[in-house]
Structures are given as structure tokens and as C-alpha cells.
Amino acid sequence: MDMSQYKSLFLSEAREYLKTIGDTVAALEQSPMDRGAIDDLFRGAHSLKGMAASMEFGDIVDVAHSMEDLMMRVREETLAFGAGVAELLLEGADLIEGLLNDVEQDLEPRRSSGDLVKRLSRYQPPQPEAQAQATCRGNDAPAAGNDAPISESTTPAPVPERAAPADGAAASVESSQAEGSSRPAGISQVQAQLPAQVSAEAEKAKEPAGEISTVRVKTEVLDHLVNLTGELITNKQRLLNIGQELGSARLNEAVSQTAKLLRALHDEVMKVRLMPFGAICDRFQRSMRALAKQSGKDLQFELAGREIGLDRGILEQLADPLNHLLRNAVDHGLESGADRIAAGKPAKGVVKLSVRQDRDRILITVSDDGRGMDPEAMVAAAIRKGLIGEEEAVLLTPRQALMLVCIPGFSTAKEVTELSGRGVGMDAVNASVQKLGGSLAIESEPGAGSRFTLRLPMTIAIIHALIVQCGSMKVAVPASAVQRSVELRRDELETIGRRRAFRLDGEIVPLLSLNRVLGLPLARFRAGFMSLFVTEAKGRRVGVVVDRLLGQQELFVKPLGRPLSKLPGVDGGATLADGEIVTILNVAELL
Amino acid sequence: MSSTVMIVDDALFMRKMLRNILEAEGYQIVAEASDGDEAVAKFQEHRPDLVTLDIVMPNKTGLEALQEIMALDPAAKVVMCSAIGQESFTAAAVRAGARAFILKPFNPELVAHVLKETVEG
């Protein structure tokens, strides 16, 4: 099997495991009995071993395997976690890191594990001598496989001759052998005093020697930058509030300049996290080929916009929804060849997946030239399924009717599927898109085809949100989920059946109370009008009534840890400008 | 209609490899999970024809997830992914209802063969 396609994934994931191992060792040194951390270490080494074995990198397998065995002993409590174990594991992690760098540059592994594998597998709990040996790690480890004298190995080291980033995307670090040799004599003196440290650094610095034109940055550093930028934006909001309180025009002017700069900084930082859409395209091409074969339909798959960059976090969560949409397009959208010819179309159906950027949004469309969807048939089916009432059905616009496929329970019904030309899982697709702060739109013309458009933000860490008050709580709702905010007069309220509703652009929009959903006391009419925002849930517009609308803010979203992350309807937390902590609601999931 | 599969492994790398192998064989991957909890939840949601389940995972081991999946559906077809050195788990996994094992590192032909037998058997 050709494994080269997996190389970059292997490298990035292996480095993540190494980082986890490093962090966990540090944590265990603080609390050596932490079972969870011990399990994590064992798993990390185990996973590394498995991955390296698949890639047939025997050196890495050997080291990871002996690390796994060592942790197995700790896990089974035949060995206590102590400084000796920690040192060995870190040494193993460093060695693997070096081997990964070799792999990345397609070099033959230039370092050997020396006796590390042996030391890992024969490790005995610290005695006075063993302790002494453990503290001089870095002295024997990296040098073990490297016979070259220190003075030579430092020659090609890229001295801090870093050129300033020329294009902002990748800083160049060109270095040449000549630079090394013209180094001031002072350095060799330092070397003499600190042989261990310098040799370790020289070892690390050796790889890039003149061949590399970009700086590799660890993803943790990027995440840290994103965090800091987020905190700065939160702080900017505070300054903005203070400026307004003080009524100082000069302060406001300075803050608004800072805000612009922060926005630019944020955009630059986020750009670094972008990955081309093409990174996940291979699988679509493969699955479309397989689908064509299975369904017996002759089809052409067109892909556009592979080069468009998306946030890594978003990209990872797009694969499943897009797969769903593509599968539906083939299984249910496209007609059979004979039917197409009968309808006067070319026998070969076309399915397109295209990505483009529209200002600060990414638009992804999946379209087909198949049979299309019939809004009337869908409405009729939804009534038959008891998903909507007849009086409600009359009020649906064609756009709303198409969105009925997103109601759970609608699209899973087989009969409806065949009738409407759309398949399973649309509710899941819609939910995933909303979770990413995006929206789904469906257009279709019976007989001519359908088009599903996903509108997504470029990044997910920083969002615009509407802050609302419910009882004593403030909560945030992503602006992407808010179609409009409304202050409704009492006389604009209507009652339809047993539900309260109001009219928006000639459409009847039912009302729901967010207080009730959150289990809080109900909102009162304040001075004769009620505050609400309009959102979309299960493909329908809904007015969500709150106590007060407090305004919009830029929020830096922080994910919640377990078990809070499993709470339905909660997408994360954020700090408001006044220091108050709010939860960010996923309204569609709550309603 | 092709068989539906859920792939469970904590390493994205492993999931991707397995996905490629299975898709080339015409399976339809309906879900992926990266830990035991997620595996059980997604099994309940998707009810795949076949599950490939890694043994060493966070939050719930493969063995624990297997037991819960079998409790949800005693007819579930679960294939365990194991590595050399995990023989001690195999007996327990068979007792818990595992249908077969595939060994890491994966050999595509072997994996395809084992899964085909499991689906048909």
C-alpha cells in the first residue's frame, strides 16, 4: 500500500502525541499517582507505536514500544512513576521528535536510538547512582548516535540570522555553512563551558542546515497566539466601555484605532491556521467514484476551489456533512440514465462541489442537475407525518417548505425520501453547519436540480454574538444564528391555535420563551413591549422572547471541558467586557 | 445498498487509513468516533451494519464500549482492532461478543477479507 499519502497526517498527529506525552510527564511529576495521566501516557506511546508501525518506521516503533512497556509497568503498579521514568520518557519523546524531522525531510534516519530502548526496558527504580545518571540526560542521549566531535557538529547550525518575514506568510531562515565558520570565537568558549547543553542544541539545529525556507511553528504556539489575540479583543471591549463612560473622545479614538489593529492581527493569526479545502477533497473523489459504481448512475463529479483556505477546526468537521450531501445528490438527486434521457437531459448527471470566499464568509455548495425537490409534495408529506399542522402548512413559503427536510424525522422516512428526492441525515447536516456558526440554504427547481449552500465563518474562535438577559442570567447567542432582533408591541401579538406568534415580512413566526427553555421565571412585558430575536430552528423561523436584548459583542469562544462540553445547547463560554462569564447557547439545539 | 460502517479509533491517522481501505471496498462510512463514549453514542444514533473498534482508547476502553454496544444491540457486528501484545484482551472481547479481530498495522487485503466475512456471516 502506498503510505506516502499518509505522511503529513502521520507527522502532525505523531507530534500531537509527543506534545501530550511531554505535558503529561510534567503533570505527573507534580502528582505521580494520577491514574488518568498514567493511562494517557500509556495510550500516547501505544498510539505512536501503532501509527509508526503502519508507516513502517521501525526506529520509531522500537522507541515507542519500549516507552509503552515502561508505562505498562507503571500502570500495573510494578513500578512507581518517578524522576527516572520521567527522564527516560522525555528522552524517548525527544528522540522520536528527531526521527520525525528526518522523516519529514525524507532523510534516512541519521540518529540511532543508542541504548535508549535497552534503558527503557531495563529500567529499575532509582538508586543513588541511577539518579545521578538520570540528571545528565542530554549529555549522553543525543550524542549517543552521533560520533562527530562537538566542534564539527555545531558548524552548520543556523545562528540567529533570521531574516524578517518577507511576505508575512513564511519567514525565511536561510543559513549557510559559511556563516557558521565565520562565527566569533566567543562561541567556542561557551561551548567549552557548557558542552552538554550546546551539543544538544547543535543536534536540534542540525536538520534545517540551509535547505529550508520556512519556519515550522508548533500548533500549540499558534493556539497560544489565537488565545492571546482573543484575550486582547475581550480587553479592547472593556476599554471601549470605559471610554464611553468617561466620554473621552481622545480615548475613544485611540481605542478604535487599536480595535482596527486588533482586527488585522486577528486576521493574520487566523490565516496561519488555514488549510486548503483540498486537504479533505481526496476522500470525496473516492467516495463519488464508489457511489457512481454502486448506484449504476453515470455521473461527472466537478470540484472547484480546492485552494481556498479554511480554519483547521472547521475543515475537520466538514467532511461528514459534505459526504452526506454528496451521497444524497447521487442517491436521490440524480435520476437514472433512462429517466434523464426521457426528460430530455444528457444521460450523464453532474454533481458539483464548489468552495469560494465571499468577504469574511466561506460558501460551499453541493449541486446536482437531477430531479430537484418539489415543495408541495414535501409539505404534503410533512402533514401526513404529523410534523406540521395543516393551518401551519398554508403559511409556509416555498423556501420554508424545502427546509422541511431538516426536521428530524422528516428525511429519515423512506417514503418521503423517494417522493422528495432527498435522503437521510439532512437534520444532522443542518445541525453540524449551525454548530460551526454557519447556515444552510436550499434552492431547488423540480426537474432541473438542487443546490445546497453552506455559509460558514472563516474562523470559529472569535464570533459576534448577541447578549441577552433572561431572569438573572446573561447569555450569548452567536450572531450567525440571529436573523433579526425585534421589540414587539403588545398589539402586534397574534394567537394562532394555542400558540403566540407575530407577523414578519408577511410570514407568521411563532414565539417561544427562552426563559422557559432555560427553566427560568417567565419574561414580563416591559413597558408594553417584548424583546425577542428571530432565529431558525429545524428549518423554521422562530421568535425567541427574552427579558432584554443587551447588544452585540465580539466574543472569544472558549470550549468547555468535559463533562460540560456534552451539555446539549451549550457551545462554549466567553468573558464579557465587564469580566462577567457567559455561556454561548446553541439555540437550534435548545429549542 | 452497501454496508454501513462506523470506525472507532483515537488516532485520526488510523481512522483515515481504515476509511480509505473500507471505502475502496465499497463500504459506506457513516460515522467515526475517537473514544469509547463517542462510540457508544454514535452507535446508538447511526446503527451501522459493522463497527471497527480500537481497544486502547480514552474515556472508555474498546472493551467497555464493546460491552455497551452489545447491550444496546446483541446482534451488533463488532470487529476489534488490536495490536501485537494485546492477546490478553482477545478472550475477553470474544466473550463480550466481538465477531472478529483485525491486527495493526493493517493489511488492506486481510482487513477486507475479515470484514467481508463478518458482514456476510
Side-chain angles (χ1 to χ4, degrees), chain A residues 26-226:
Chain A
L28 267 173
E29 285 186 303
Q30 300 304 313
S31 46
M33 302 301 284
D34 182 347
R35 289 280 337 163
I38 290 172
D39 286 347
D40 285 351
L41 270 183
F42 169 76
R43 266 202 314 274
H46 175 82
S47 297
L48 268 175
K49 179 191 74 173
M51 286 160 52
S54 303
M55 296 296 295
E56 299 180 354
F57 295 139
D59 294 337
I60 300 177
V61 174
D62 291 347
V63 180
H65 191 173
S66 53
M67 288 165 72
E68 181 193 3
D69 282 347
L70 184 70
M71 281 316 295
M72 183 65 118
R73 289 164 63 196
V74 175
R75 214 179 177 203
E76 292 171 352
E77 295 177 0
T78 58
L79 177 67
F81 188 92
V85 176
E87 288 292 334
L88 278 173
L89 290 175
L90 291 176
E91 199 177 316
D94 285 353
L95 181 64
I96 293 178
E97 173 75 48
L99 291 165
L100 291 176
N101 291 341
D102 288 349
V103 166
E104 179 159 52
Q105 292 168 59
D106 288 317
L107 299 171
E108 278 304 303
R110 287 171 307 171
R111 60 207 92 213
S112 82
S113 57
D115 61 348
L116 179 60
V117 170
K118 210 184 290 172
R119 282 188 289 131
L120 278 161
S121 53
R122 293 191 186 162
Y123 178 75
Q124 285 307 316
Q127 275 132 38
E129 301 88 350
Q131 195 75 54
Q133 201 187 0
T135 49
C136 57
R137 143 186 190 248
N139 190 355
D140 52 5
N146 180 13
D147 299 327
I150 290 161
S151 58
E152 265 180 46
S153 71
T154 50
T155 319
V159 225
E161 299 274 48
R162 298 191 177 192
D167 54 6
S172 88
V173 196
E174 296 192 9
S175 75
S176 67
Q177 306 271 1
E179 276 168 22
S181 54
S182 65
R183 191 147 343 118
I187 290 189
S188 57
Q189 276 178 350
V190 178
Q191 243 174 53
Q193 285 159 14
L194 295 166
Q197 201 184 336
V198 174
S199 81
E201 272 169 19
E203 183 69 21
K204 257 192 200 151
K206 231 169 69 172
E207 298 94 46
E211 302 150 18
I212 286 186
S213 59
T214 53
V215 173
R216 203 162 45 227
V217 182
K218 289 193 172 169
T219 43
E220 68 189 276
V221 177
L222 290 183
D223 290 346
H224 195 53
L225 273 177
V226 172

Side-chain angles (χ1 to χ4, degrees), chain A residues 516-538:
Chain A
R516 187 193 293 274
V517 174
L518 296 174
L520 296 166
L522 286 190
R524 288 236 175 80
F525 269 108
R526 195 164 38 88
F529 62 88
M530 61 165 65
S531 305
L532 59 98
F533 62 88
V534 179
T535 186
E536 199 168 86
K538 296 172 187 148

Side-chain angles (χ1 to χ4, degrees), chain A residues 382-393:
Chain A
I383 295 174
R384 211 165 44 245
K385 291 275 146 199
L387 295 169
I388 52 170
E390 289 201 29
E391 69 273 28
E392 234 180 325

Side-chain angles (χ1 to χ4, degrees), chain A residues 291 295 297 326-334 371, chain B residues 1 28:
Chain A
L291 278 169
S295 62
K297 290 173 185 168
L326 289 170
R327 196 161 61 227
N328 284 348
V330 178
D331 281 352
H332 309 296
L334 293 185
R371 58 171 68 93
Chain B
M1 199 60 198
Q28 187 183 329

